[in-house]
Amino acid sequence: MTDQNARFLIFLKKLGEKPAGYRVAHIHVSELQPAKKTRDNLSRAIGVLSDLKAKFKEGEIFLMKNLDLVFVTKEISKPLLAAACDTIQQTFIGQLGVTFTNVHGGEGEFYTLFDLSYEYAKVLGWAEAVAGVAEVGPSGTSDTAGGQPKEAVDLTLLARIKEEIHKIDIAPMLFNQPVYNIATGKAQPVWHEMYMSVQVLEDMFCPGMSLTSRKWLFNDLTEDLDTVVLRLLASPEERATRRRMSINVNLSTLASPRFVTFDAELPAERRNGVVLEINKTDIFENQRLFHELAPFLRQRGYRILVDGLSFLNVGAIDFDGLPCDFVKVFWSGQADSLNEELTDRLLAKMRNRKSPLIVLARCDSAESIRFAKDMGIRIVQGRLVDHMVKKNIPF
């Protein structure tokens, strides 16, 4: 069942195109002492709002997780709505004054009234925050533990890890994150990105140490990871449960006998359900190999994704000259701080692009989703996207 915070956001989004005529009352019950937040008081307050809802026919009542009450209705006068809120204030605290400053900055205000005709954006921002649509850090791993840098693995330890990886069942370390198409406002899964958890690898093989701080050593390890992942995904049992997926893979792996074996074991009709994600650095360092392999792989039915782009990369890359189907751009706050010339190039490259398609990744904030919609980017990935899908919040 959808929780009330998410339900309020969903209701508000439905009003987004025509918010005129709607008012919102936010009653700050959460700021009161616990003794005041009784079931009886809440029931009486909801009763007052229910009477208004019945009178004006259109609207909704939301009891938020923190016990705040939110009432949305249409064509009600501000004095009438304020009078109802005054009655509710009397129910909770009688003649006592209010000393707190509420979440909207109102000092000494037990309730806050909004007119969505001109305050929709403000209310939407708050609704997104309480529904969990808030800024969270970018996806990825950290080389610090408890604020202290982790010690890097050395060649001897790496060699042992590389040997052990081939002896264990790596299925519990293989995770996936969906990639969604949001063109219609309702998210549709396109594929699931399969990835190894570096944190789990570190916990298993080198607790307290970092596998990624020495990039050249980690890149060496990724070739072994490619091998064990391909071996797992080629098994009939795994294929049966993973119809559309993407895998992160090195160019050296794609040119190796390991991939030839994977390709031979994968039914032809399943290849167009596999997206091969190749990091931009690998491509730029091995351009000749990429331009040899990519057309062949696409002819075989695979789709190619250039991974790991930032906003700073986009303006400098000739997308039309890349033999690929997708490019993955990581969202960051840089979008708001780029100079005008770079911003113009960025927008020209990304807006409504059809080939290759843009995948906007690390969508972990409301700003990232708005950017995708403004740019006509319909394929997105990130923790916020997962959260919105789980809560049935429309895009």
Side-chain angles (χ1 to χ4, degrees):
M1 181 177 178
T2 304
D3 69 63
Q4 293 291 291
N5 293 34
R7 183 170 159 262
F8 171 53
L9 177 57
I10 293 168
F11 183 85
L12 201 60
K13 279 177 168 280
K14 290 178 180 177
L15 304 181
E17 292 185 6
K18 297 180 179 179
Y22 284 91
R23 292 186 188 276
V24 175
H26 178 192
I27 302 166
H28 305 284
V29 179
S30 61
E31 300 286 353
L32 300 178
Q33 294 295 322
K36 302 291 185 182
K37 295 183 284 190
T38 65
R39 184 187 298 271
D40 285 345
N41 284 346
L42 284 167
S43 295
R44 293 189 188 100
I46 291 172
V48 172
L49 298 176
S50 296
D51 289 343
L52 274 185
K53 179 182 175 183
K55 182 176 181 180
F56 288 89
K57 306 301 182 185
E58 191 170 350
E60 198 57 79
I61 302 166
F62 304 91
L63 177 59
M64 311 299 276
K65 285 183 177 179
N66 65 354
L67 299 184
D68 279 2
L69 287 166
V70 176
F71 178 54
V72 186
T73 193
K74 191 177 184 182
E75 307 298 348
I76 189 173
S77 69
K78 185 174 181 179
L80 184 56
L81 185 56
C85 291
D86 286 337
T87 299
I88 292 172
Q89 180 170 341
Q90 288 279 330
T91 298
F92 279 99
I93 59 176
Q95 300 300 320
L96 294 176
V98 174
T99 57
F100 57 75
T101 299
N102 65 49
V103 68
H104 305 297
E107 186 175 352
E109 294 179 357
F110 181 68
Y111 58 86
T112 308
L113 304 183
F114 297 98
D115 186 334
L116 293 189
S117 301
Y118 59 91
E119 294 180 291
Y120 178 80
K122 181 177 181 179
V123 178
L124 179 64
W126 173 71
E128 288 176 336
V130 298
V133 180
E135 184 76 34
V136 293
S139 305
T141 58
S142 170
D143 285 337
T144 62
Q148 298 298 319
K150 292 183 180 180
E151 181 185 353
V153 298
D154 58 20
L155 277 170
T156 302
L157 180 54
L158 180 71
R160 182 176 66 78
I161 294 171
K162 285 161 63 73
E163 182 180 348
E164 291 297 320
I165 278 174
H166 292 274
K167 299 177 181 178
I168 65 170
D169 176 14
I170 60 99
M173 291 182 284
L174 190 63
F175 296 84
N176 71 83
Q177 184 177 41
V179 175
Y180 291 98
N181 187 326
I182 60 168
T184 64
K186 182 176 176 60
Q188 301 291 335
V190 184
W191 70 76
H192 285 72
E193 179 185 354
M194 315 305 301
Y195 65 94
M196 297 288 293
S197 168
V198 174
Q199 182 64 58
V200 173
L201 285 172
E202 289 175 343
D203 290 345
M204 177 173 289
F205 295 111
C206 53
M209 303 183 73
S210 170
L211 284 170
T212 59
S213 56
R214 291 179 178 171
K215 296 299 182 185
W216 63 277
L217 284 179
F218 183 68
N219 289 341
D220 187 18
L221 177 62
T222 60
E223 295 188 13
D224 290 83
L225 295 176
D226 285 349
T227 299
V228 294
V229 169
L230 289 176
R231 187 169 64 233
L232 174 68
L233 295 178
S235 69
E237 295 81 7
E238 288 294 325
R239 289 203 306 264
T241 60
R242 306 182 195 277
R243 294 198 169 273
R244 293 188 176 276
M245 63 182 175
S246 70
I247 53 177
N248 296 274
V249 65
N250 293 297
L251 283 170
S252 57
T253 300
L254 294 174
S256 72
R258 301 188 293 276
F259 189 78
V260 173
T261 301
F262 172 80
D263 178 69
E265 294 176 350
L266 193 66
E269 68 274 10
R270 298 296 297 277
R271 293 184 195 128
N272 64 3
V274 177
V275 178
L276 302 173
E277 300 201 20
I278 309 169
N279 189 270
K280 69 177 188 304
T281 303
D282 196 7
I283 292 172
F284 296 156
E285 291 178 352
N286 301 281
Q287 291 188 46
R288 178 177 295 180
L289 180 58
F290 174 70
H291 284 278
E292 288 176 359
L293 286 174
F296 169 75
L297 292 167
R298 296 173 81 190
Q299 187 177 18
R300 293 286 291 169
Y302 301 102
R303 290 179 293 173
I304 304 295
L305 181 149
V306 176
D307 190 19
L309 298 182
S310 70
F311 287 127
L312 294 175
N313 303 141
V314 168
I317 293 176
D318 176 16
F319 286 161
D320 297 326
L322 280 176
C324 66
D325 303 277
F326 307 98
V327 292
K328 181 180 287 187
V329 180
F330 291 160
W331 166 264
S332 78
Q334 289 175 327
D336 296 326
S337 60
L338 301 177
N339 64 54
E340 186 175 348
E341 180 184 354
L342 191 55
T343 299
D344 290 342
R345 284 210 309 271
L346 176 74
L347 299 182
K349 287 283 185 71
M350 297 183 71
R351 179 167 279 132
N352 297 316
R353 172 165 287 277
K354 293 183 171 59
S355 180
L357 285 172
I358 302 287
V359 178
L360 188 64
R362 293 183 180 168
C363 290
D364 300 331
S365 68
E367 290 76 16
S368 61
I369 301 297
R370 292 194 190 98
F371 179 85
K373 293 177 74 68
D374 289 345
M375 297 293 289
I377 297 171
R378 59 180 186 264
I379 304 180
V380 296
Q381 179 185 30
R383 286 180 286 185
L384 174 57
V385 182
D386 297 338
H387 174 81
M388 292 177 72
V389 171
K390 182 179 179 181
K391 298 293 185 180
N392 297 311
I393 298 172
F395 288 83

